[in-house]
Amino acid sequence: GLTVKMNSGFYDLEVLKTTNSSFTDFWRDELTTLPEMADRVLSTKVLCQWTFVEQKLEALQQTPFDKIYAGAKRNTLDALANDPRAWVHASVQTTLYIMADRILNDFKAVDDVYYALPNIHYFPFDLSKFGLKNLQADAEVYMPIADPSGYITATVSRPPKGRL
């Protein structure tokens, strides 16, 4: 039979989260260079794609594509801003899974969700040469770092459908 596979999504959704974002208590070894951050700025440029797989063209034609697009974007932003599982101590990978899981739970027509989340780091700017405190708990002025910082990607899929 005929199987239709179709992708949809959005890209370059710039996100800057300035509160309820820390990354601490993670596993460390002799190669770990990332410092623990009790309060950090989380920034990324979201790429999100999802896949529809359908054997019946009529069912695909009935798919509410606009509703799924709006819901995927809403779930992405809502998970980053309002889901407490994505706040304290959560890695970007954990947040990615939460966002994808929400899309899969809300939209049964979606078979899998792919995210690419490049890290865009902001660190406190050292103002001590001006006689001002601006490090760790006192930080109020941040500077974006141009260095490569990581590119987190993952695809979260439904379990495969059984064959008869």
Side-chain angles (χ1 to χ4, degrees), residues 31-93:
L31 300 176
T32 303
T33 59
L34 185 67
E36 292 197 9
M37 301 290 283
D39 190 22
R40 68 174 176 172
V41 174
L42 186 149
S43 181
T44 189
K45 197 179 266 195
V46 178
L47 165 67
C48 177
Q49 295 176 327
W50 51 91
T51 305
F52 306 96
V53 178
E54 186 56 64
Q55 260 97 46
K56 298 178 182 164
L57 190 56
E58 300 80 28
L60 190 63
Q61 290 170 329
Q62 306 266 332
T63 303
F65 297 109
D66 289 345
K67 185 177 178 182
I68 293 170
Y69 176 88
K73 195 175 263 192
R74 181 189 66 248
N75 275 323
T76 299
L77 294 172
D78 191 57
L80 282 162
N82 299 317
D83 193 319
R85 297 173 297 163
W87 289 356
V88 180
H89 310 300
S91 65
V92 174
Q93 292 87 340

Side-chain angles (χ1 to χ4, degrees), residues 126-138:
D126 184 3
L127 296 174
S128 62
K129 60 185 137 212
F130 303 108
L132 300 170
K133 286 183 169 181
N134 191 58
L135 296 176
Q136 299 302 338
D138 300 313

